[in-house]
Amino acid sequence: MDETFVVIGGDAAGMSAASKAKRDEPDLDVVVFEKGRWVSYGACGLPYYIKGEIQTLDELVSVPPEEFREERDIDLRTGHEVIGIDPDARTVTARSDDGETIQPYDHLLIATGAAAVDPSIDGIDLDGVYTLGSMTDGKELREFVARSRESSPSDQPDRGPACQYLENCSGPVGVVGGGYIGIEMAEALVANDFEVHLFQRDDRVLNGFSRATSEAVAEHLEEQSVSVYLNAEVESIGGSDAVEAVLTADERVPVEMVLLGTGVRPRTDLAENAGIELGPTGAIATDEYRETNVPNVYAAGDCAEAEHVVTGEPAYVPLALTANRHGRAIGQTVAGTPSEAGGIAGTAAVKAFEVEAARTGVVDHDEARDAGFDPVSKTIDAKSRAGYYPEGGTVRVTLTADRESGRVLGGSLVSEYGEGAVHRSHALVGAVTEAITVDELSNYDLAYAPPFNTTWDPILTAAKVLGGKL
Amino acid sequence: MDETFVVIGGDAAGMSAASKAKRDEPDLDVVVFEKGRWVSYGACGLPYYIKGEIQTLDELVSVPPEEFREERDIDLRTGHEVIGIDPDARTVTARSDDGETIQPYDHLLIATGAAAVDPSIDGIDLDGVYTLGSMTDGKELREFVARSRESSPSDQPDRGPACQYLENCSGPVGVVGGGYIGIEMAEALVANDFEVHLFQRDDRVLNGFSRATSEAVAEHLEEQSVSVYLNAEVESIGGSDAVEAVLTADERVPVEMVLLGTGVRPRTDLAENAGIELGPTGAIATDEYRETNVPNVYAAGDCAEAEHVVTGEPAYVPLALTANRHGRAIGQTVAGTPSEAGGIAGTAAVKAFEVEAARTGVVDHDEARDAGFDPVSKTIDAKSRAGYYPEGGTVRVTLTADRESGRVLGGSLVSEYGEGAVHRSHALVGAVTEAITVDELSNYDLAYAPPFNTTWDPILTAAKVLGGKL
């Protein structure tokens, strides 16, 4: 196969596709353009790097560039930004410190990722305003934390996390956004003794989860000394050179740093300029092979949408597994074995201090109704292990189903960290993907032993209880 | 509904059926005969009671008898042994201290459970030979442990579990059988400072699990100071009045106590005497409603077989969830809503000291071939959390699929305790029940975040790797 596969973007989707294509078809020339210097890195680990649980950024790199080049025989060109795609000529133009290159392709993958959304408010250019979209962002935040700790008079290695009990806290700092990044960063900052104020525009954190999950997480954040402001749209960030305060309609909260965790948007400029269609979500539209409207041009990862397994409609859920999975399928396809990449269920997980939460499928009733369902939900609190077992906590499960068919549409779970909300969500991913009913789910022969669950796992109890409501 | 529902046996299946029937149809008369004094108890918790983590047997009772009688309005007759069923007359005969009663029924549930299998060897009647089939057995074992601890010269509350490092151990004791009971009791006994010798007839512990799982568990047992003897059929128990040794073909191991964990057999005498058919497994045959060949006579729990979701054939897997689930479905049916009870996947979980293991579906190749499949298996070791995350261990996953169709037939997992082998098995229960392929499984949008897994959860990695072998 004397062909060339060009990949734009060297993170999860891009490197998965490049590696798989080359492994399956060694004769293929594989060229990857990455504008930065980092490739194949675990951005999801950045909050733990900033927290101090991971010591170097290199630890977040799953495969170093040399391994791609030398062992996998991939022509990986870091420091190369692609500035144009010409689908008619089948070329891309890349710019580096050495000038411009025109690279022909037979197959092209656009894996340009997503960019942090900056809210259009005053003050976001002040010193001390951070986002967390890149390895560089992570480095800067860690340096900020280190500086603050050094200057903090009560900096002692054995200090506890609960800042309000201490005489001298670092901070205060503001976190804008109550999604994963906001919550994980709140944990990282509290662990470094910052007084953390978290501002959420909506009336709850973790919007895509069930309200019951959101409430449990918000309550826990407060217990862990995070001040959570709900219905608190940030109107501006105050300060002259450096950040001094976060301002909402109601309050002016003095802070020394602001982290913006206000979501991401797909990077689609390159694709749009080349006439590649975007979908209804604003991300690049793809078919079940993740091919765009332009033949032999694929898109995957945080720049692309994909069909939702419950609604069948395009959805934009920029998360790591989808990028890896879709990249890998494209690699197989390009190497000669057309491979459907599978849809997305909108599954997500988050650790928030000492609780864990996960969600999958369609939980929100408006979203379910838009997709033609008649949603019914039920939330239960169940013991995470046998009642008599000496350890254990509570798993709160919200399950949503369609009234008429009984089909499981989605679920949301929260438990103490280690009590299994996240791993239990695996069962619900199968349920929503296979379109089974709550009755079928309630008859699943799930594993049981006292150290792991009650005889009826909380998943089964939720299915039983919701089944009784249909 | 002026009818009577009679239940024989007051544990999981019986009390689930009784409670559900009465709740759904309050006009139904529900009579339960239980020969012992305990009902609705969690026998699965007995090893933890013996271990000392649970302080009273009462804690294992999920619903006390008075609650069944007073709040649920069930005519629960403890101390009543049913000695005959007359399907023509639709009556059962029960015997108690007060004499015999003949009780008519419209619907009957046989939930007589299982009995521990005593191996037919010399010495099983010696003092110091125990089984663990009932609450009474549990009480006796706990008393044995307490006596031994009292007489042990080095009994100190802070003694560690690793007996070989101590000058004065209790014991030695022998555990015969390397299944759940044997392993859980080994943990309970080591925790009480006994020197434990575990004898397993086969060449590995946990027969129904994958060999890779069995080996990991056996290795861990040895690490925890349990002497594991494989291929070690016990030929006799030596001693004059009390136990003195366990004898195999190769060895004579001195012990002061023997626990027989050599499996259970269904209690079917009553059913057989009434002309109710047994199935190929030797347990009572039932249809999808758990009805026997005699109309209006049901069987559920440890005395009955049920269809396997993978093979479609009858299987005998006497475990707690099935008893609860099938009992509940029978209660619904009897109350007027015919309810299929769902098959069984042979799912099981066990904690062995600091590891956990689970299995589901068909893992064994002979069993798969008998069911008409062409089995292929693959075992992988994967990190339980992101590689860079400060905690975590290894999840070992064995997946078995059919070569031609790619269908997932079964799986077996083992990890450190708390690293999620058991809860992750929930995903595989869905996979085997819904008959999906390994490729479909590998495309599941499972939850991911660094504190819970790698981007590809070990389940997905196993599916990918096995998919590559088909």
Side-chain angles (χ1 to χ4, degrees), chain B residues 131-422:
Chain B
T131 54
L132 184 58
S134 68
M135 295 287 263
T136 306
D137 291 344
K139 189 160 172 288
E140 288 173 2
L141 274 161
R142 175 141 167 158
E143 286 163 2
F144 165 82
V145 167
R147 280 197 307 277
S148 301
R149 287 192 68 106
E150 275 162 22
S151 62
S152 168
S154 66
D155 180 34
Q156 297 149 13
D158 58 351
R159 283 175 70 189
C163 205
Q164 75 259 47
Y165 304 119
L166 298 168
E167 284 183 18
N168 295 290
C169 261
S170 298
V173 295
V175 172
V176 183
Y180 322 124
I181 296 286
I183 286 174
E184 288 168 353
M185 282 302 301
E187 177 182 323
L189 291 164
V190 168
N192 283 284
D193 296 328
F194 287 91
E195 177 189 316
V196 175
H197 298 264
L198 187 147
F199 302 87
Q200 167 74 332
R201 186 174 51 184
D202 304 287
D203 64 351
R204 58 187 178 113
V205 298
L206 291 176
N207 256 322
F209 291 62
S210 73
R211 189 165 288 274
T213 300
S214 298
E215 286 168 359
V217 171
E219 197 176 301
H220 184 68
L221 291 174
E222 293 274 5
E223 283 168 12
Q224 297 286 331
S225 87
V226 178
S227 299
V228 178
Y229 303 73
L230 299 177
N231 299 304
E233 177 138 23
V234 173
E235 300 192 334
S236 67
I237 298 169
S240 43
D241 294 326
V243 166
E244 289 171 15
V246 171
L247 291 93
T248 67
D250 303 324
E251 295 188 80
R252 183 184 187 282
V253 181
V255 297
E256 295 172 9
M257 179 273 243
V258 168
L259 175 86
L260 299 173
T262 43
V264 298
R265 56 171 180 74
R267 284 204 188 90
T268 56
D269 290 357
L270 264 185
E272 283 183 275
N273 292 341
I276 292 163
E277 284 175 9
L278 306 188
T281 71
I284 302 171
T286 63
D287 67 10
E288 64 271 35
Y289 295 94
R290 311 283 76 92
E291 195 170 11
T292 68
N293 66 308
V294 177
N296 301 310
V297 178
Y298 301 84
D302 292 1
C303 63
E305 59 182 35
E307 71 280 4
H308 194 289
V309 297
V310 175
T311 67
E313 296 297 317
Y316 178 61
V317 187
L319 288 174
L321 173 61
T322 305
N324 276 273
R325 189 157 52 85
H326 289 177
R328 182 172 183 273
I330 290 165
Q332 281 182 317
T333 298
V334 165
T337 307
S339 301
E340 295 195 20
I344 55 177
T347 315
V350 66
K351 172 177 180 286
F353 296 87
E354 295 306 315
V355 303
E356 58 177 82
R359 57 92 61 220
T360 190
V362 176
V363 175
D364 180 71
H365 283 204
D366 289 337
E367 194 185 337
R369 275 188 288 264
D370 284 349
F373 298 108
D374 179 10
V376 188
S377 292
K378 186 76 190 169
T379 296
I380 60 134
D381 281 347
K383 291 202 169 77
S384 63
R385 314 194 195 195
Y388 51 73
Y389 197 74
E391 301 162 65
T394 300
V395 186
R396 175 176 290 185
V397 185
T398 306
L399 214 55
T400 303
D402 177 51
R403 189 184 304 273
E404 195 184 326
S405 64
R407 177 178 175 182
V408 179
L409 301 176
S412 181
L413 305 93
V414 58
S415 71
E416 294 88 356
Y417 183 49
E419 295 304 320
V422 171

Side-chain angles (χ1 to χ4, degrees), chain B residues 1 26-27 39 62 72 100 170 176 218 228 301 311 370 387 391-392 410 433:
Chain B
M1 200 193 238
D27 289 340
V39 298
S62 40
R72 303 194 185 181
E100 288 188 8
S170 298
V176 183
V228 178
T311 67
D370 284 349
E391 301 162 65
T433 307

Side-chain angles (χ1 to χ4, degrees), chain A residues 7-301:
Chain A
V7 174
I8 307 173
D11 200 4
M15 298 319 298
S16 295
S19 299
K20 184 64 179 163
K22 189 73 190 177
R23 187 161 62 243
D24 284 7
E25 181 50 70
D27 290 341
L28 195 68
D29 287 326
V30 179
V31 183
V32 178
F33 294 106
E34 164 56 45
K35 69 177 175 182
R37 73 178 187 91
W38 299 96
V39 298
S40 189
Y41 55 89
C44 309
L46 287 172
Y48 306 100
Y49 168 73
I50 297 158
K51 187 178 178 184
E53 291 183 330
I54 300 167
Q55 297 318 319
T56 66
L57 281 176
D58 285 332
E59 291 174 55
L60 298 183
V61 174
S62 41
V63 182
E66 311 77 56
E67 184 175 330
F68 284 114
R69 293 186 182 116
E70 289 155 28
E71 292 173 35
R72 303 194 185 182
D73 195 19
I74 290 167
D75 182 358
L76 168 60
R77 305 188 199 166
T78 46
H80 280 67
E81 181 175 8
V82 172
I83 54 171
I85 302 168
D86 184 339
D88 297 323
R90 294 199 168 192
T91 59
V92 303
T93 304
R95 182 187 290 155
S96 72
D97 290 344
D98 300 330
E100 287 189 6
T101 326
I102 292 178
Q103 171 65 49
Y105 67 79
D106 297 287
H107 314 272
L108 177 66
L109 169 58
I110 303 173
T112 42
V117 172
D118 289 339
S120 39
I121 54 173
D122 283 344
I124 63 166
D125 294 324
L126 290 170
D127 271 3
V129 178
Y130 295 86
T131 54
L132 185 58
S134 67
M135 295 286 263
T136 308
D137 292 343
K139 188 159 173 288
E140 288 173 2
L141 275 160
R142 176 142 165 155
E143 286 163 0
F144 166 81
V145 167
R147 279 198 306 276
S148 301
R149 287 191 69 105
E150 275 161 25
S151 61
S152 168
S154 66
D155 181 33
Q156 297 149 14
D158 59 351
R159 282 176 69 189
C163 205
Q164 75 260 46
Y165 304 119
L166 298 168
E167 285 185 18
N168 294 291
C169 262
S170 296
V173 296
V175 171
V176 182
Y180 322 124
I181 295 285
I183 286 174
E184 288 168 354
M185 282 302 301
E187 177 183 324
L189 291 164
V190 168
N192 283 284
D193 296 328
F194 287 92
E195 178 190 318
V196 175
H197 299 264
L198 186 147
F199 301 88
Q200 167 73 332
R201 185 174 51 185
D202 304 286
D203 64 352
R204 58 186 178 114
V205 298
L206 291 176
N207 255 322
F209 291 62
S210 73
R211 189 165 287 274
T213 300
S214 298
E215 286 168 0
V217 171
E219 197 176 301
H220 184 68
L221 291 174
E222 292 275 5
E223 282 167 12
Q224 296 286 333
S225 87
V226 178
S227 299
V228 179
Y229 302 74
L230 299 178
N231 299 304
E233 176 136 24
V234 173
E235 300 193 333
S236 66
I237 298 170
S240 42
D241 294 326
V243 166
E244 290 171 15
V246 171
L247 290 95
T248 67
D250 301 325
E251 294 187 81
R252 183 185 187 282
V253 180
V255 296
E256 294 172 10
M257 179 273 245
V258 168
L259 174 85
L260 298 173
T262 43
V264 297
R265 56 170 182 74
R267 285 203 188 90
T268 56
D269 289 357
L270 264 184
E272 282 184 275
N273 292 341
I276 291 164
E277 283 175 7
L278 305 188
T281 70
I284 303 171
T286 64
D287 67 10
E288 64 270 37
Y289 296 93
R290 310 283 77 92
E291 196 171 9
T292 68
N293 66 307
V294 177
N296 300 310
V297 178
Y298 301 83

Side-chain angles (χ1 to χ4, degrees), chain A residues 446-467:
Chain A
L446 297 186
Y448 158 64
F452 307 104
N453 44 11
T454 46
T455 313
W456 298 87
D457 188 89
I459 294 279
L460 300 175
T461 302
K464 269 197 303 182
V465 171
L466 180 56

